[in-house]
Amino acid sequence: MRSGLLARSMISVLPPDLGRPYAIVAAEGQASPLDLPESTFIDLYKTHGALLFRGFDMDLATFRAFTARYCSSSVFNESPDRLLVDRENNIQSVNLGVDPFPLHPELSREPWKPDVCFFWCMSPPSRGGETVVCDGVEIVRRLPPPVFEELRSRRLYYTQVMAPEVCRYWLGSAEPDDETMRNPPAGCPYTFFRLNGRIARSLNRPALHKPMFTNDLAFGNFLLFARYYLGKKNFPTFERGELVPDELVAAVKAASDPITAPVAWRGGDFIVLDNSRFMHGRNAIVEMSERQIASFFGYLHFAEPDAEEIPDAPWRREMFKPPQPARPAR
């Protein structure tokens, strides 16, 4: 049922419904998303976790101002095939390929997993290319009991070999000794070890976790994307490097498929997703040049950070660009 108009505005809210896990915040006539009172946005965000804004007057300056209103900082997404829409304010395009993407939270493979994702449709595709959204809490509710019990008791390990530049960033040396790896600097989010003669880092997180604004457990990690898009079985793994069984991942997919909802983009639409609760993906893109989506991945000033996040994390203080291996000159 449609709610009443929000006080002193021409903005209405349609709560989530069967087959649509996101609320629709609609402009009734000309309105800017900046007209929405901050307290109202925060209440809607905490209550629903997924908001589609539709019918608003939108441009880059408005998108920039809206994200800045609620985020204290942001992270640069180093995934390939993205363009910088606004370098100074860390607004990027989404991946410019045409492939469909399985469900995933943004950057869940890293300790700096952002709190929130903003996606703004600058130009909609005429067909295909829908962003899809799924509630990780509802996935857990639909898991078969044996799958739920298995995942609830396990942790996922994200292990990567480190380039010298990345070693230097975290450990102060391109070739750290064993003592340094056993005792990394305060605020370092990884554990380190030697793997086949090279230095590796590892991050681990629960297979099921508590999102920021609900006490219910959610599924929200890199497993589906790694398994069904990248074809990787060893990133992430369970403890001691055990591969997550195919049937376990398939059971999660079977639970998520019926409750994954598409967003058929209209020009000016933008989505706000609680990245601690919701996963997103996309359907195949028919004409890449038509679909122009801007993204911003931020850290909320009203956040309740996960207890496993390092204290005073650098990504919450200022715009964060993760260390990357040096690229060869062309």
Side-chain angles (χ1 to χ4, degrees):
M1 179 179 295
R2 182 180 292 273
S3 75
L5 289 177
L6 297 171
R8 299 183 303 280
S9 70
M10 294 295 289
I11 299 170
S12 62
V13 179
L14 191 64
D17 203 350
L18 185 66
R20 177 174 50 79
Y22 50 87
I24 299 176
V25 184
E28 307 287 334
Q30 288 189 330
S32 165
L34 298 170
D35 295 335
L36 189 70
E38 289 188 44
S39 60
T40 301
F41 171 84
I42 292 171
D43 286 345
L44 289 171
Y45 183 90
K46 288 183 175 181
T47 299
H48 302 302
L51 307 170
L52 169 63
F53 285 74
R54 176 158 279 173
F56 289 87
D57 295 330
M58 279 294 296
D59 56 20
L60 181 58
T62 304
F63 185 68
R64 181 191 305 125
F66 192 80
T67 57
R69 173 178 285 184
Y70 299 105
C71 293
S72 56
S73 60
S74 63
V75 63
F76 179 83
N77 190 323
E78 83 288 2
S79 303
D81 300 322
R82 295 172 185 262
L83 299 177
L84 275 171
V85 178
D86 181 342
R87 181 184 299 274
E88 184 177 349
N89 295 284
N90 223 6
I91 298 171
Q92 302 171 261
S93 73
V94 296
N95 180 281
L96 297 179
V98 298
D99 294 341
F101 281 168
L103 293 171
H104 61 285
E106 204 65 30
L107 294 171
S108 60
R109 54 187 162 76
E110 299 289 2
W112 47 83
K113 176 183 175 181
D115 301 333
V116 60
C117 302
F118 296 85
F119 298 105
W120 164 43
C121 181
M122 298 184 291
S123 174
S126 57
R127 56 196 176 104
E130 300 91 347
T131 292
V132 297
V133 177
C134 189
D135 183 353
V137 168
E138 188 61 28
I139 291 175
V140 171
R141 291 175 183 149
R142 291 168 173 258
L143 290 175
V147 175
F148 169 75
E149 293 298 335
E150 174 71 3
L151 290 175
R152 183 172 62 168
S153 65
R154 305 303 296 265
R155 295 181 71 86
L156 298 175
Y157 281 68
Y158 300 87
T159 299
Q160 296 175 282
V161 171
M162 297 170 65
E165 297 84 357
V166 181
C167 288
R168 186 178 293 110
Y169 181 92
W170 291 113
L171 296 173
S173 170
E175 298 181 0
D177 57 27
D178 290 347
E179 179 65 20
T180 300
M181 289 193 293
R182 285 193 298 268
N183 298 282
C188 182
Y190 299 106
T191 57
F192 302 92
F193 56 96
R194 298 192 186 276
L195 180 66
N196 299 325
R198 302 182 67 184
I199 298 171
R201 68 186 187 193
S202 187
L203 170 77
N204 72 85
R205 290 291 185 266
L208 301 179
H209 70 280
K210 191 189 87 62
M212 200 167 285
F213 299 114
T214 177
N215 289 321
D216 296 327
L217 290 174
F219 181 93
N221 53 60
F222 200 59
L223 264 175
L224 296 176
F225 194 89
R227 192 65 56 95
Y228 294 119
Y229 184 71
L230 299 178
K232 288 188 174 183
K233 293 189 177 185
N234 63 348
F235 187 84
T237 66
F238 280 150
E239 302 88 344
R240 299 178 298 280
E242 305 160 77
L243 299 184
V244 181
D246 287 342
E247 57 270 23
L248 209 62
V249 184
V252 174
K253 187 175 186 302
S256 66
D257 281 349
I259 55 171
T260 298
V263 176
W265 287 109
R266 300 179 190 176
D269 282 356
F270 68 99
I271 296 175
V272 185
L273 295 177
D274 179 347
N275 198 46
S276 74
R277 173 172 176 173
F278 279 81
M279 296 195 292
H280 63 276
R282 74 183 185 199
N283 291 335
I285 296 169
V286 178
E287 179 52 64
M288 186 174 66
S289 63
E290 292 182 338
R291 187 183 192 266
Q292 297 179 33
I293 310 290
S295 65
F296 180 91
F297 307 115
Y299 302 94
L300 298 166
H301 65 66
F302 57 92
E304 298 174 7
D306 190 286
E308 298 198 15
E309 184 175 294
I310 60 172
D312 193 29
W315 44 88
R316 293 195 180 274
R317 298 196 303 267
E318 58 189 4
M319 186 187 299
F320 185 68
K321 187 166 185 178
Q324 294 297 305
R327 295 180 181 273
R330 294 191 178 187

